[in-house]
Amino acid sequence: MISVAAPSIEIDKETDRHGDKQTHFFELRVELLDAAKERNIIVCLGTSSAKIFIATKLIQELANSVRRPWSEGGKRTLYVVDTAALATQQASYIRHLTDLNVAEYTSMDEDEIWDIEFWDYEISLNQVLVMTSEVCLHVLQCQFLQMSEVNLLVLDECHRALREHPMRQVSNI
């Protein structure tokens, strides 16, 4: 499992060693992507577009294991966010830039959220599950999905994972 998360960092606004800040930023993203493929990392960037770009590229790089059917041992990618609005935004971005089946889950008010049949169907149908931290915590605690069945866990806005926040609890499972 690889975990990527994203609060903020300052990037030198001056030019890099090649005299081009765009080149420097691109090289930084490539380095972060390579590092994330090798180990758990925390990616700290100031813009959400840079964070979702790196996360989406990583999802694409690791897509082979989620392309395998769930019934044949395929894995799933979890993209965990703090708000329903962010879930909608990130799911849309991933849908647009990949050919994977992406679904979003933002509320536990619906009866079927608690139902094993609902989750079996959703997990078998979708390869990337974008959800709020509360929903993710529920899914993992109820063992609708095991961490061993997850190929990538992205914790967006991980700096919010303090004290008893659901995102912190997810990261401790």
Side-chain angles (χ1 to χ4, degrees), residues 6-138:
S8 63
I9 191 172
E10 282 194 39
I11 296 174
D12 186 4
K13 305 282 186 206
E14 300 302 318
T15 57
D16 69 359
R17 66 186 180 282
H18 303 306
D20 182 1
K21 62 183 173 186
Q22 287 295 92
T23 301
H24 175 71
F25 192 60
F26 178 76
E27 289 171 356
L28 174 64
R29 289 187 289 187
V30 170
E31 286 179 37
L32 291 170
L33 180 60
D34 287 343
K37 289 190 287 186
E38 299 297 321
R39 64 189 178 280
N40 293 346
I41 67 168
I42 296 176
V43 176
C44 303
L45 295 170
T47 65
S48 62
S49 62
K51 293 181 282 191
I52 186 66
F53 172 81
I54 292 169
T56 302
K57 294 307 277 181
L58 189 57
I59 290 167
Q60 290 172 328
E61 291 274 336
L62 301 174
N64 282 343
S65 64
V66 299
R67 290 185 194 286
R68 186 176 314 133
W70 179 247
S71 61
E72 297 174 18
K75 300 213 180 240
R76 293 300 175 257
T77 295
L78 296 181
Y79 196 108
V80 183
V81 298
D82 200 38
T83 66
L86 195 53
T88 300
Q89 176 184 341
Q90 305 305 54
S92 175
Y93 188 92
I94 297 166
R95 268 188 215 104
H96 183 71
L97 293 179
T98 72
D99 63 345
L100 301 171
N101 294 331
V102 180
E104 61 195 83
Y105 311 94
T106 60
S107 173
M108 293 196 335
D109 293 336
E110 301 171 38
D111 292 335
E112 60 267 5
I113 295 294
W114 303 95
D115 185 71
I116 185 68
E117 288 81 24
F118 171 83
W119 285 108
D120 280 343
Y121 176 76
E122 290 296 310
I123 292 168
S124 66
L125 182 67
N126 298 292
Q127 298 154 323
V128 179
L129 311 172
V130 181
M131 56 185 67
T132 60
S133 54
E134 294 87 358
V135 173
C136 185
L137 182 60
H138 174 73

Side-chain angles (χ1 to χ4, degrees), residues 134-150:
E134 294 87 358
V135 173
C136 185
L137 182 60
H138 174 73
V139 167
L140 294 172
Q141 284 179 333
C142 292
Q143 298 183 345
F144 298 142
L145 184 66
Q146 306 285 325
M147 286 305 288
S148 61
E149 299 166 321
V150 174

